[in-house]
Amino acid sequence: LQLACAQQTTTVTIRSNWKGYLQEFAQAIRIAHAYYNDDEGEETIINFAAPYLHSAIKGPQLRTDKRVAWTNFEQKYDDVGEATYQLVLRYNNHGISDDSGGG
């Protein structure tokens, strides 16, 4: 996922039945933010992870709205009652808390 391209939209949602996968994805956002936020006097690099940091820290949430499955696999998991999760990354260019709800 290229976060620079994702800025064309306000939200990126990744769904999975593996919560650990989504936790690792959120961790990648945190690591990228820390890397690009580290000021060692090098030339300025745009921190594309920063606007998604708050959402990444919040981490994946249990997917409770089962009305629409995005894939056949997701439908299969919903049908048998297996938990599925979603990581919702909301673009927030102010670097402040995103309390807009939803998810």
Side-chain angles (χ1 to χ4, degrees):
L1 176 67
Q2 294 179 315
L3 294 176
C5 295
Q7 290 183 15
Q8 301 295 325
T9 183
T10 57
T11 304
V12 176
T13 302
I14 305 117
R15 290 181 172 180
S16 179
N17 65 319
W18 294 349
K19 187 176 183 180
Y21 170 76
L22 298 178
Q23 289 169 329
E24 289 178 3
F25 199 99
Q27 179 67 13
I29 300 291
R30 294 191 296 268
I31 290 169
H33 172 69
Y35 177 81
Y36 289 114
N37 204 38
D38 187 19
D39 184 20
E40 295 182 358
E42 309 246 340
E43 80 180 63
T44 304
I45 300 174
I46 298 172
N47 184 346
F48 290 110
Y52 299 97
L53 183 62
H54 178 75
S55 297
I57 291 170
K58 185 176 178 183
Q61 304 296 314
L62 183 64
R63 192 178 136 254
T64 56
D65 184 355
K66 309 285 185 160
R67 290 178 289 179
V68 178
W70 287 355
T71 66
N72 290 336
F73 285 110
E74 196 170 84
Q75 185 64 58
K76 177 180 77 170
Y77 298 139
D78 291 348
D79 290 347
V80 298
E82 182 172 333
T84 53
Y85 304 89
Q86 61 184 14
L87 177 63
V88 179
L89 301 172
R90 288 185 177 84
Y91 184 85
N92 179 356
N93 63 353
H94 300 294
I96 57 174
S97 176
D98 178 14
D99 296 322
S100 61

